[in-house]
Amino acid sequence: MTYFNQVFAIAGKDLRSELRTKEALNASLSFAVVILLLFSFVVDPDSEMLEQMSGGLLWMVFAFSGVLILNRGFARELPNDCLDALIASPIPGSALFFGKAIANFALIAIIEAICFPVFGILYNLTWTAQLPVLVAVSALATWAMATLGTMFGALTVNMQLRELMLPMLIYPMLIPALMSAMQLTTLLVAGQAIDSEHIVWLRVLIAFDIIFTSLAAVLVETVLVG
Amino acid sequence: MRDKLIYGAGIFAALYFVRNLYVILLQLPDEAMQGAVYRIFFFHLPPYFTAVACFLGAAIASGLYLKTKNWKYDVFAVSATEVGLALAAINLVTGMIWGRQQWGIWWTWDARLTSALITWLIYLGYLMLREGIKDPSERAKNSAVLSIFAFFAVYFTYKANEWYRTQHPGPVLTIRTGKNTIDPAMQAMLFHNLGAFLLLAVVLVAVRMNLENSQRAVESLRRRAHAIA
Amino acid sequence: MTALQAHDLWKYYGDFAALQKVGFEFAAGSCVALLGRNGAGKTTLLRILAGLSQASEGEVRILDGNPRQASVRSRIGIIGHGIGIYDDLSAEENLLTFARLYAVPNPAKAVDHWLERTDLARVRRGKAREFSRGMRQRLAIARAFIHSPNFLILDEPFTSLDDRAIALLQGLLKDALHQGATVVLSTHQLKEALELATHVLLLNRGKLAFSGVRTAEMLANPGWVYQHYGEAA
Amino acid sequence: MDQRNFEYMFYGLAAAWTILCLYALLLTSRGRKIQSEIDHLKRMLDSSPKK
């Protein structure tokens, strides 16, 4: 029981200090909305072609604005050597990892919760036909981003080029998850259910989450302890 | 003694390549549809398999380093990854040239070609990470973890891209998938060239390991020199 | 009961040996002052004891366990160079977070107790960012003692404290030692540290130069150990 | 030998060969750089006063 208590102690701490300062949240939120706006110059907003691109556009927005939050993940621990205080506390490395991943997940979810309606309004798409499935798929993809973001945040925490290294490492590896999310979101935003042809992408997402979450939970301890 | 072995193997690999080239250029018949250009294939597929072998070796060595903290695994991991990157570059470039000839476009969004490029970027990130961390123990530990992650990511990349391509069939370099029955002589040459590339990879990895060891020696010498001077 | 024991301890950064063949043993209730110049390996040793990094070779046992064991870490209190406090959170939130991390049975009560004890009760809602230097140090002390540890690791604790914080820390350390806790603190021959110390360890370029009981003349002349066992010897 | 797309085959093989050579050159140049550093360090160590 104490494990969950410790995980949510860390997630709560991260969320509280992020929601209090909102520095990363505001930056990535405005970044996301700006890209959504810019996109209307790329494709003529009420064309049928936009329907094809909705998933791709949305997940590109989430991926790029999400990294601004992921960068803050471990940067928050650097002043006053708080990371040492956390590693020295009796919590297992995986608890620290899950705590931070959940905090990142929640923050990126906030961005998504705002971007989907904005997207719907700007491009007058009724995207809520398959809402429950859409939320599930977004959650899976966001968790993939949070897992890799937190893990590589831990890998690069002591580096000077941290802000540059994290995107460099995370994007190539995230492509399979992003591809799946894009395929499924395009389908769901258009209101169609996930048919037999696209079910494979759900499996890719689920397998991606399971494998990388377990890998990260096992290896994060070796990364954090010097 | 080790260096002599490396030179010997290097010369043998070179001779093996010359012999293969001779057979490819002069003895093998033309492929019905593509004419002469299919011969690139012998320098496109073998380096791909060798690169994957290098990356797998690097991932295994990284796992062993994490368990035993023995330096030679870290040295092997970085050498294998670097050689793998070089071979993957060959695979990429020859694939592009072949695609250019087949369909007149430089970048055919073929599933394998795209996955090869993503794989290349992933392992480029590995080398960047190593450059960014100064303390040798920290560098070895973190890059070992990244190498294991990278190998799983590459597996996912190839799987996802294949499915993506089956739904949006772009130009597929048919001979590469070997669907049609391949001429036995070509088949044999494929394995010969694979053998040559594997031998070359071993030689390059060995050379790169010597380099890494002497780099490490220089760093410690420099530290001691500063301490004294 | 030996609270702290190290045997043939080595620590490499690459091939630079930060710690070479360090060994010692101290019973519970002893207060060890760790002396040595900058770069002698004090912080490296303390980080290994605190479970922040692993020894390359050799073995360390704290409270009959490995420093990386959760059961051992839950009984260790640490004050490092950085104070380990989140500037965005309030004093109360900081202590509550660490109380939950250390699975303290009744977090709220422990937090109130230690805010009282470090005279921060008035500013419990204030953000750590707005605190003065002295208040931040007292909050760090409260964090280190929140789970009433019986092993304390302090990295040069007295150097940047104001007089009030020094008095507070000395009082707390005395009480802990009375209750049989063990303290390891690294210091630069400060009188306040040497007064408390029952034993002294001197590190010189990663090697153990002296390990023994703290004698009266060491207290009288803090540089005594260096002259007899340090670089000059 | 079919003359149809001979030049592309040549480009392909040439590309493969050049990449290999570039990498080999990279290795030897790094080898030489390290060798010069070793010599520099030796000079530094020999000339410095013996402690």
Side-chain angles (χ1 to χ4, degrees):
Chain A
M1 197 28 225
T2 57
Y3 186 81
F4 289 106
N5 197 339
Q6 288 161 342
V7 165
F8 287 110
I10 294 202
K13 159 196 78 75
D14 266 22
L15 282 176
R16 196 169 301 124
S17 62
E18 183 53 42
L19 294 178
R20 192 161 287 167
T21 57
K22 283 202 184 56
E23 37 179 72
L25 202 58
N26 291 345
S28 53
L29 204 54
S30 46
F31 184 68
V33 172
V34 160
I35 299 182
L36 281 178
L37 281 176
L38 283 178
F39 205 76
S40 63
F41 306 109
V42 169
V43 70
D44 139 40
D46 43 33
S47 76
E48 194 275 334
M49 222 241 291
L50 181 78
E51 200 84 8
Q52 294 299 330
M53 290 208 233
S54 57
L57 161 65
L58 278 169
W59 280 101
M60 227 175 24
V61 164
F62 297 150
F64 286 114
S65 55
V67 98
L68 295 178
I69 288 183
L70 296 173
N71 260 323
R72 287 292 305 151
F74 274 89
R76 205 174 289 123
E77 307 294 336
L78 291 180
N80 304 333
D81 289 348
C82 294
L83 189 57
D84 283 351
L86 288 182
I87 297 172
S89 66
I91 59 169
S94 56
L96 178 58
F97 165 76
F98 280 118
K100 287 215 155 289
I102 289 170
N104 283 335
F105 175 85
L107 290 170
I108 297 175
I110 293 173
I111 295 180
E112 286 167 19
I114 293 171
C115 277
F116 265 110
V118 165
F119 179 75
I121 295 162
L122 289 180
Y123 298 96
N124 58 57
L125 282 168
T126 55
W127 53 279
T128 52
Q130 296 280 350
L131 193 57
V133 186
L134 183 59
V135 166
V137 163
S138 305
L140 283 172
T142 310
W143 179 254
M145 234 195 305
T147 309
L148 286 186
T150 310
M151 184 63 194
F152 294 146
L155 264 176
T156 59
V157 65
N158 301 324
M159 293 169 67
Q160 295 85 359
L161 301 164
R162 198 161 13 85
E163 268 71 23
L164 165 72
M165 273 314 293
L166 184 60
M168 270 286 299
L169 292 179
I170 191 172
Y171 285 131
M173 291 202 190
L174 201 58
I175 287 178
L178 283 179
M179 274 169 69
S180 318
M182 288 174 181
Q183 304 290 319
L184 294 174
T185 312
T186 304
L187 201 68
L188 294 169
V189 164
Q192 298 138 22
I194 299 181
D195 51 29
S196 64
E197 204 190 297
H198 288 86
I199 197 71
V200 71
W201 295 114
L202 201 57
R203 270 204 261 72
V204 167
L205 255 184
I206 293 170
F208 191 97
D209 280 357
I210 291 171
I211 288 187
F212 279 108
T213 307
S214 39
L215 253 180
V218 166
L219 290 175
V220 74
E221 182 97 14
T222 57
V223 169
L224 290 173
V225 177
Chain B
M1 173 47 197
R2 196 163 178 284
D3 287 346
K4 273 203 271 323
L5 209 63
I6 295 174
Y7 276 120
I11 292 161
F12 181 74
L15 289 178
Y16 198 6
F17 265 116
V18 168
R19 176 236 170 237
N20 284 352
L21 264 177
Y22 173 78
V23 169
I24 291 174
L25 293 177
L26 298 178
Q27 288 178 352
L28 282 186
D30 282 354
E31 207 270 344
M33 284 124 47
Q34 299 174 22
V37 78
Y38 86 97
R39 288 177 173 77
I40 297 182
F41 177 42
F42 297 114
F43 287 86
H44 176 64
L45 206 50
Y48 161 68
F49 286 123
T50 321
V52 170
C54 286
F55 293 144
L56 180 62
I60 293 170
S62 302
L64 288 172
Y65 174 80
L66 288 180
K67 212 161 359 81
T68 61
K69 288 284 192 280
N70 180 330
W71 284 114
K72 64 178 173 22
Y73 293 125
D74 174 55
V75 169
F76 176 80
V78 65
S79 312
T81 306
E82 211 171 274
V83 170
L85 266 173
L87 294 169
I90 294 175
N91 170 276
L92 255 176
V93 168
T94 46
M96 280 169 65
I97 290 173
W98 191 356
R100 173 74 177 80
Q101 200 284 325
Q102 291 290 101
W103 280 279
I105 42 174
W106 274 112
W107 183 256
T108 60
W109 282 98
D110 164 70
R112 268 220 210 119
L113 219 49
T114 325
S115 314
L117 178 60
I118 297 171
T119 307
W120 206 81
L121 289 175
I122 290 175
Y123 280 101
L124 188 66
Y126 172 87
L127 290 183
M128 298 265 297
L129 183 80
R130 286 190 77 95
E131 289 307 315
I133 301 177
K134 288 298 158 262
D135 162 30
S137 323
E138 177 95 3
R139 175 175 52 202
K141 174 170 63 67
N142 285 6
S143 46
V145 168
L146 185 63
S147 181
I148 294 172
F149 260 82
F151 199 74
F152 279 94
V154 165
Y155 171 77
F156 264 102
T157 306
Y158 274 92
K159 274 277 165 277
N161 269 304
E162 255 164 59
W163 287 325
Y164 187 81
R165 276 299 156 244
T166 51
Q167 285 170 3
H168 310 273
V172 175
L173 305 179
T174 48
I175 193 161
R176 293 252 318 282
T177 52
K179 284 204 179 56
N180 42 26
T181 56
I182 192 163
D183 173 322
M186 292 184 207
Q187 185 88 29
M189 175 39 69
L190 248 184
F191 286 109
H192 275 300
N193 232 15
L194 180 57
F197 264 103
L198 284 171
L199 189 59
L200 176 70
V202 166
V203 169
L204 284 176
V205 167
V207 167
R208 180 63 181 78
M209 283 173 78
N210 289 347
L211 207 66
E212 185 71 16
N213 285 328
S214 45
Q215 173 75 34
R216 205 177 293 278
V218 161
E219 269 160 24
S220 69
L221 266 176
R222 185 182 305 131
R223 220 175 280 122
R224 241 167 256 130
H226 288 321
I228 297 173
Chain C
M1 203 276 279
T2 60
L4 168 61
Q5 188 188 6
H7 180 61
D8 277 353
L9 198 57
W10 289 75
K11 176 67 179 179
Y12 294 99
Y13 290 113
D15 66 349
F16 168 70
L19 287 178
Q20 296 161 27
K21 208 165 174 20
V22 172
F24 45 74
E25 186 169 341
F26 295 105
S30 48
C31 171
V32 182
L34 183 57
L35 300 178
R37 288 205 168 70
N38 285 339
K42 298 200 298 292
T43 304
T44 310
L45 179 60
L46 288 180
R47 282 181 70 87
I48 292 176
L49 296 186
L52 294 174
S53 70
Q54 259 148 356
S56 310
E57 272 164 43
E59 214 224 338
V60 179
R61 292 190 69 73
I62 295 182
L63 305 172
D64 286 338
N66 174 315
R68 273 310 299 169
Q69 259 169 308
S71 57
V72 169
R73 289 195 331 245
S74 60
R75 288 183 285 156
I76 296 180
I78 293 158
I79 299 182
H81 279 300
I83 56 171
I85 295 292
Y86 292 99
D87 291 337
D88 301 333
L89 298 181
S90 71
E92 195 181 19
E93 284 161 348
N94 263 302
L95 292 184
L96 208 60
T97 305
F98 280 102
R100 285 174 68 193
L101 290 185
Y102 279 87
V104 169
N106 183 338
K109 192 163 73 63
V111 167
D112 295 343
H113 170 69
W114 282 103
L115 282 175
E116 214 60 55
R117 193 75 187 277
T118 51
D119 194 10
L120 291 168
R122 276 177 296 93
V123 288
R124 61 189 307 146
R125 291 256 182 288
K127 301 279 181 307
R129 185 187 304 284
E130 297 134 10
F131 280 8
S132 73
R133 187 145 186 69
M135 290 156 76
R136 287 161 72 92
Q137 279 145 8
R138 294 207 304 278
L139 187 57
I141 293 170
R143 172 186 58 76
F145 282 86
I146 190 79
H147 54 298
S148 48
N150 54 21
F151 195 99
L152 281 145
I153 298 175
L154 312 165
D155 199 344
E156 287 168 19
F158 294 105
T159 37
S160 54
L161 294 192
D162 58 19
D163 54 353
R164 208 166 120 197
I166 287 181
L168 170 69
L169 186 56
Q170 271 193 322
L172 289 175
L173 289 178
K174 280 201 183 73
D175 300 348
L177 286 166
H178 282 322
Q179 286 145 21
T182 316
V183 174
V184 177
L185 52 90
S186 75
T187 177
H188 276 293
Q189 310 148 16
L190 275 177
K191 254 179 111 34
E192 291 81 0
L194 284 174
E195 266 161 21
L196 283 166
T198 57
H199 296 76
V200 168
L201 273 179
L202 177 66
L203 279 179
N204 182 5
R205 288 180 190 277
K207 285 194 274 293
L208 195 57
F210 173 79
S211 164
V213 177
R214 197 267 296 157
T215 57
E217 72 254 66
M218 283 187 196
L219 185 57
N221 159 18
W224 185 86
V225 180
Y226 280 96
Q227 284 136 25
H228 287 73
Y229 296 92
E231 195 71 34
Chain D
M1 172 70 79
D2 179 317
Q3 298 309 332
R4 244 182 318 175
N5 28 40
F6 180 80
E7 73 283 7
Y8 273 101
M9 181 195 76
F10 173 72
Y11 294 153
L13 299 185
W17 189 77
T18 37
I19 290 177
L20 269 182
C21 282
L22 283 178
Y23 185 57
L25 281 176
L26 180 76
L27 286 184
T28 42
S29 75
R30 276 164 66 167
R32 224 175 292 119
K33 187 162 68 68
I34 286 177
Q35 194 52 42
S36 67
E37 268 182 48
I38 289 179
D39 302 339
H40 166 64
L41 282 173
K42 275 209 177 64
R43 274 197 309 284
M44 219 159 107
L45 279 175
D46 299 343
S47 63
S48 77
K50 275 287 157 287
K51 203 155 196 52

